[in-house]
Amino acid sequence: MNKSSFRRAFYIIICSISLYSCASLPVNSEGTLERARGDELVVGISENKPWTQTSGTGRYSGIEVDLIEGFADTIDADVQWLHAPESVLAEKIKNGQLDLMIGGLSSSSPWSSHMALSRPYHQFDGEEKVMGIRLGENDLMMALERYLAHEFGEIR
């Protein structure tokens, strides 16, 4: 085999390996969307009116609560709520104990290293509102963003 043929074979092998490895992206680290379908979506909630409100009786309301409950309906899931301060919820979502986190988060959230942030779905007082999603859960993120875009009229 001459030098030119060897290089050509080498490049073909490298390109093939590269293309093969890209075929599996994006990856869903835990398959959260599939697990939640027909079962349960675990959502962390911190109080931040009007986005999220607690009644003290374990009942929640607010703009984001309505959105999450609507999204859960589209995947036939029940919502299991976990109410706590943002800092606690950020640690829980980072450790895989939550699927989503809401509480009037903005795109400049200090917790962005703990979770993936959805695309902004609403602008309020100069802040872009987002939701937190467990890192690596691309299918869940895409489904949630599609739902939010539909609810806010971006997809017809």
Side-chain angles (χ1 to χ4, degrees), residues 1-155:
M1 184 182 267
N2 66 27
K3 204 175 200 180
S4 172
S5 297
F6 178 77
R7 277 192 196 134
R8 191 173 311 127
F10 177 76
Y11 290 130
I12 289 171
I13 290 169
I14 294 299
C15 289
S16 297
I17 291 170
S18 296
L19 288 173
Y20 177 76
S21 65
C22 291
S24 61
L25 296 176
V27 174
N28 294 301
S29 59
E30 299 296 328
T32 300
L33 181 62
E34 292 76 27
R35 178 198 42 79
R37 277 189 203 280
D39 194 12
E40 192 170 72
L41 190 64
V42 184
V43 181
I45 179 172
S46 64
E47 187 159 3
N48 187 351
K49 296 177 184 177
W51 309 101
T52 54
Q53 299 174 59
T54 60
S55 66
T57 61
R59 309 251 338 140
Y60 304 102
S61 61
I63 296 165
E64 289 183 349
V65 171
D66 293 343
L67 288 169
I68 290 296
E69 289 176 343
F71 172 66
D73 285 346
T74 68
I75 61 170
D76 191 31
D78 293 322
V79 179
Q80 177 188 340
W81 297 104
L82 176 63
H83 177 246
E86 274 187 20
S87 58
V88 172
L89 296 176
E91 285 300 318
K92 288 192 176 294
I93 200 166
K94 179 182 178 183
N95 295 330
Q97 297 169 292
L98 298 174
D99 302 326
L100 299 171
M101 178 178 156
I102 62 172
L105 297 173
S106 71
S107 57
S108 61
S109 171
W111 311 114
S112 61
S113 64
H114 290 58
M115 68 191 93
L117 299 177
S118 69
R119 285 187 307 201
Y121 66 88
H122 187 67
Q123 181 114 6
F124 182 77
D125 282 346
E127 289 187 327
E128 295 177 318
K129 293 301 175 183
V130 298
M131 295 184 184
I133 302 150
R134 186 174 174 190
L135 287 170
E137 295 305 318
N138 300 312
D139 283 345
L140 179 63
M141 179 179 281
M142 287 175 32
L144 177 62
E145 287 182 345
R146 193 174 304 120
Y147 174 79
L148 292 171
H150 181 266
E151 287 299 299
F152 285 89
E154 296 173 26
I155 297 177

